[in-house]
Structures are given as C-alpha cells and as structure tokens.
C-alpha cells in the first residue's frame, strides 16, 4: 500500500510571513493539528500545535506579530506519493513526528498524513481481521465434523 492512498489531499497551507495567530485560527477552523508553510508553491516548513505551545507561547512571543517563518519547522521530513505506508509509519516512529507531508517531484505539497491516519488504518485492518476470524469460526461451527464419513 502506498502513502498516496492514505494521505489527506485537502491541505491547509499558509505563507511564511503569515502570523501565528492567523495560522492557528485557520487550523482551529479546519480542525487540523498542523499547517503546511508554502513559499512560492513549494513546501518550506510545517507548523503544528506543538510548535505553537513550545516555540510561541512558552517563549512569550506575540502570536499576532510573530511570522510562521520564525517558529515553524523548516524543511520538514517528507515522502513522495509512492512511498510505502509501512516505511512512512517507521519514519514517523523513528523521528517522533506527528505529521508527515507528501510532496511531488518539485517539492510541492500534495498530501499530509498524521499519526491519527495511521491509527485509523491499523484499527480498520484489525477489525477486518477479527471479522474474518469470527466468520471462519462460525463456518467451523456450522460444518458437520462427521460429514466426510460414510455413515
């Protein structure tokens, strides 16, 4: 399975000169935990809820006058559309990140995957497995164990 099939494609983006306050308002409105910082069409950074807490509020910066370029994570870890989902999950775990942008060959953002997306996939796969095991068990219960004998 490739990451493009899991990635959200309705991206929430901001310019590097946009204020933290405006970006956070849009994040709240769109109900996302991170916003992609895009400069001239290319991904230049990512700004998350954690960044708002640690890099803005904890430092006493003014969200209304602080541009994202000063507090975002520049040049974030990214993957291409065809990267394997398992590889992406390992990257998220290894680098301890919650959001993984998906970019095209030119570095333009085309999707984003969050830890929550991986969790949904795991839960869906687990539910499918449980259902298959349950169905197999039901079939075994309905099968006559003496059917193969000629009685």
């Amino acid at each position: 399975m490739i990451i493009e099939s899991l990635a959200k494609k309705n991206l929430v983006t901001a310019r590097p000169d946009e204020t933290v306050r405006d970006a956070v308002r849009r994040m709240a409105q769109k109900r996302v935990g991170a916003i992609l910082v895009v400069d001239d069409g290319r991904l230049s950074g990512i700004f998350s809820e954690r960044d708002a807490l640690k890099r803005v509020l904890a430092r006493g910066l003014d969200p209304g006058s602080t541009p994202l370029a000063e507090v975002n994570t520049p040049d974030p870890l990214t993957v291409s559309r065809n990267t394997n989902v398992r590889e992406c999950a390992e990257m998220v775990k290894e680098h301890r990140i919650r959001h993984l942008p998906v970019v095209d060959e030119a570095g333009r953002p085309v999707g984003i995957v969050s830890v929550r997306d991986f969790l949904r996939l795991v839960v869906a796969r687990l539910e499918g497995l449980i259902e298959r095991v349950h169905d197999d068990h039901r079939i075994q219960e309905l099968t006559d164990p003496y059917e193969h004998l000629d009685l």
Side-chain angles (χ1 to χ4, degrees):
M1 180 177 196
I2 60 172
I3 201 64
E4 184 176 38
S5 61
L6 186 61
K8 291 183 181 84
K9 291 160 185 73
N10 52 342
L11 303 176
V12 182
T13 63
R15 298 177 321 279
D17 62 345
E18 189 170 331
T19 67
V20 169
R21 176 176 289 138
D22 290 341
V24 169
R25 282 182 179 158
R26 194 150 54 304
M27 289 166 62
Q29 178 186 24
K30 299 290 185 176
R31 301 179 69 189
V32 296
I35 194 164
L36 299 175
V37 182
V38 177
D39 191 11
D40 200 24
R42 299 189 68 202
L43 182 68
S44 64
I46 188 168
F47 182 78
S48 69
E49 295 165 325
R50 274 186 175 173
D51 295 326
L53 289 173
K54 293 181 177 184
R55 296 180 179 176
V56 180
L57 296 177
R59 292 182 187 169
L61 299 177
D62 176 15
S65 64
T66 304
L68 287 175
E70 289 182 17
V71 291
N72 75 153
T73 301
D75 302 315
L77 185 65
T78 63
V79 294
S80 71
R81 293 173 173 154
N82 296 321
T83 307
N84 182 284
V85 169
R86 182 181 303 254
E87 183 181 340
C88 293
E90 289 171 1
M91 290 169 69
V92 165
K93 180 182 173 186
E94 178 184 336
H95 295 280
R96 301 179 68 184
I97 57 175
R98 293 185 180 187
H99 300 91
L100 184 60
V102 181
V103 296
D104 66 12
E105 301 77 26
R108 293 182 300 254
V110 294
I112 189 167
V113 182
S114 71
V115 171
R116 184 174 288 155
D117 297 323
F118 288 110
L119 181 59
R120 281 190 197 114
L121 176 64
V122 169
V123 168
R125 294 278 173 102
L126 184 58
E127 287 173 344
L129 177 62
I130 290 169
E131 189 172 313
R132 282 194 303 276
V133 168
H134 185 30
D135 289 347
D136 287 349
H137 187 263
R138 220 178 346 199
I139 288 171
Q140 288 177 350
E141 286 178 346
L142 296 175
T143 303
D144 182 358
Y146 303 105
E147 184 176 286
H148 68 283
L149 301 175
D150 240 357
L151 299 175

